[in-house]
Amino acid sequence: MTKQTPLITVTPRVLAGVLLLALSQSAVAANEEGTLRTTEIKPVLFSDDHTSEGFLAPLADGRIMLIFRLDPGIQGDHTGTNGHIVRMTYDPEADRWGQVETVYNSDQYDDRNVHGGVTRDGRIVVFFRHLAKDGKTEGRYFIYSDDSGKTWTEPQVSEAWTDPQQSGIPGVWSTGQMFYNPDIERYMMLGCRRYITSSPDGVSWDNRRLVTDNRKYALTEIAGAWCGNDRMLALIRDDRREQGHPLLQIESHDNGKTWTEPEPTNIPPDQHWGAAPQLIYDHDRDLLIALNSTRYSLPNDQQGLQIYTADPDDVVGKSQNWTQRYDLRRPWAVEEFEPKRRLNMNFYGYPTIAQIGDGEYLVVFTERARIDGHEQADLLYFRFNLH
């Protein structure tokens, strides 16, 4: 294991926008499915750095680690050669975030598209790729930690999917969160290039399987979950915009050996653009929870993030049966917002979710604006309860 690298210093600006976020009101939404209550939206990081994407890793002591990409300084942008992987730890009881610490920095590539998960024995697995200056993927890797993120391995390779030249799979591999399938005792990771890979321990990613060769849709970002009775379900972004933008749904009824053809969902409603889905399964409640970002097909100030839920039996084979529980409009889509964070780009989104306790969940997402010719991105969070 490599030694932990030193802390990064992140100095946030003191902006009126932070005050607006901290003072935003919590929300309550009730329907026949029950009540959803959210806390106010608060900043995780609100600084000159470009901080974006990532995933939440619950730790054994009850804290939750956020692992994400950081491109430092006002020169930081959506892509570059300074982007690297960092982490912060959240204490749910104190509602407080810790310091930013480096996880991995190649010092020559953009270390980006950070996703992963935690095994049942606490191993944190991080998937990412090296993006070169020419915009091509040099390779896809993973690292892991067996001591709650104190130390990390060097980048690991998978014979099944790491090398784009060998696999023939370009670009990003993973976009959703790693999940466990107890029916076959394996960890699953869906790739946005139409594939799924699995591992018995989060380290030996020894295979890949084609999920679908359907060409009717431009399948890209994907997130999946096991939901009982040999079933897995996934939500996928469709990039063929002229056909409408809802997420697509595919299902496996035999633990990933075969999959149904993609079918449009009602996420989001009214044929709007659906991007960056996330999906988890709460086994105790027998409940699927899906998150989605809207973009492009709505005006900037009407874009945002939605939360949907479903009993697996209600949506397996019935992709239009998701229930929208919450619609979060962009936090700074208000006239009074400080001009340095003006609303001049579409919604970034890319939410990640983790369970805190019985019926309570933490969500982190990314916002952005263009400042001095560079895309600037900040991380925000809120919690919600389902009853």
Side-chain angles (χ1 to χ4, degrees), residues 43-158:
V44 178
L45 283 176
F46 207 87
S47 69
D48 288 339
D49 303 324
H50 189 288
T51 52
S52 58
E53 298 190 39
F55 71 98
L56 291 166
L59 305 178
D61 62 5
R63 296 179 302 155
I64 300 176
M65 184 177 295
L66 173 65
I67 303 172
F68 58 99
R69 174 189 181 267
L70 185 149
D71 194 348
I74 198 65
Q75 300 299 314
D77 214 318
H78 193 84
T79 60
T81 55
N82 293 320
H84 55 281
I85 304 170
V86 299
R87 68 182 179 102
M88 295 177 72
T89 304
Y90 177 67
D91 182 340
E93 291 200 10
D95 189 24
R96 184 171 59 242
W97 292 91
Q99 293 179 299
V100 179
E101 298 177 273
T102 299
V103 169
Y104 171 76
N105 191 343
S106 66
D107 293 316
Q108 58 178 317
Y109 299 107
D110 189 346
D111 311 318
R112 61 181 296 107
N113 304 112
V114 180
H115 297 278
V118 185
T119 65
R120 297 201 302 167
D121 57 2
R123 172 175 289 157
I124 306 172
V125 185
V126 180
F127 296 80
F128 65 98
R129 68 163 167 158
H130 284 163
L131 184 67
K133 292 181 180 179
D134 61 5
K136 295 181 180 179
T137 299
E138 180 273 339
R140 292 176 291 259
Y141 304 92
F142 68 96
I143 55 178
Y144 63 90
S145 172
D146 286 328
D147 55 12
S148 297
K150 295 176 183 175
T151 59
W152 297 84
T153 65
E154 294 294 335
Q156 308 290 301
V157 299
S158 160

Side-chain angles (χ1 to χ4, degrees), residues 13 74 342 370-374:
R13 295 178 180 179
I74 198 65
R342 59 193 180 281
R370 186 161 296 280
I371 300 174
D372 297 334
H374 298 276

Side-chain angles (χ1 to χ4, degrees), residues 267-299:
I267 303 175
D270 303 322
Q271 297 291 298
H272 287 301
W273 174 272
Q278 287 296 301
L279 183 66
I280 62 170
Y281 175 62
D282 186 331
H283 183 272
D284 293 335
R285 289 171 168 254
D286 190 27
L287 189 70
L288 285 163
I289 302 173
L291 285 80
N292 169 72
S293 309
T294 49
R295 199 189 302 166
Y296 300 134
S297 57
L298 287 166

Side-chain angles (χ1 to χ4, degrees), residues 132-333:
K133 292 181 180 179
D134 61 5
K136 295 181 180 179
T137 299
E138 180 273 339
R140 292 176 291 259
Y141 304 92
F142 68 96
I143 55 178
Y144 63 90
S145 172
D146 286 328
D147 55 12
S148 297
K150 295 176 183 175
T151 59
W152 297 84
T153 65
E154 294 294 335
Q156 308 290 301
V157 299
S158 160
E159 293 181 5
W161 47 261
T162 289
D163 186 348
Q165 300 272 346
Q166 184 180 37
S167 67
I169 308 172
V172 184
W173 172 259
S174 56
T175 57
Q177 295 172 222
M178 184 180 81
F179 61 94
Y180 183 63
N181 183 330
D183 289 332
I184 54 176
E185 298 182 338
R186 292 183 74 89
Y187 297 93
M188 317 299 294
M189 198 72 194
L190 284 153
C192 69
R193 300 299 173 183
R194 304 168 180 269
Y195 291 90
I196 188 170
T197 185
S198 67
S199 169
D201 54 9
V203 173
S204 302
W205 298 93
D206 51 14
N207 66 81
R208 74 169 188 267
R209 181 187 295 270
L210 183 68
V211 171
T212 177
D213 60 0
N214 185 294
R215 299 294 167 178
K216 177 181 177 181
Y217 304 103
L219 306 178
T220 56
E221 298 164 349
I222 186 170
W226 171 83
C227 54
N229 301 320
D230 299 322
R231 299 173 302 184
M232 292 191 290
L233 187 146
L235 299 173
I236 317 174
R237 164 176 160 173
D238 173 22
D239 256 0
R240 191 161 293 168
R241 303 177 190 181
E242 68 273 13
Q243 296 188 14
H245 315 320
L247 299 179
L248 302 165
Q249 179 172 307
I250 59 173
E251 306 161 11
S252 175
H253 300 173
D254 53 15
N255 293 312
K257 294 178 183 177
T258 61
W259 293 80
T260 61
E261 287 299 304
E263 293 290 340
T265 68
N266 58 329
I267 303 175
D270 303 322
Q271 297 291 298
H272 287 301
W273 174 272
Q278 287 296 301
L279 183 66
I280 62 170
Y281 175 62
D282 186 331
H283 183 272
D284 293 335
R285 289 171 168 254
D286 190 27
L287 189 70
L288 285 163
I289 302 173
L291 285 80
N292 169 72
S293 309
T294 49
R295 199 189 302 166
Y296 300 134
S297 57
L298 287 166
N300 279 355
D301 62 352
Q302 295 179 32
Q303 298 166 16
L305 182 152
Q306 298 89 36
I307 300 172
Y308 296 78
T309 61
D311 182 308
D313 290 338
D314 291 339
V315 289
V316 170
K318 295 163 283 189
S319 62
Q320 297 285 322
N321 276 8
W322 291 89
T323 299
Q324 183 173 337
R325 305 295 299 277
Y326 183 60
D327 187 4
L328 180 152
R329 290 291 178 90
R330 303 180 71 177
W332 61 37

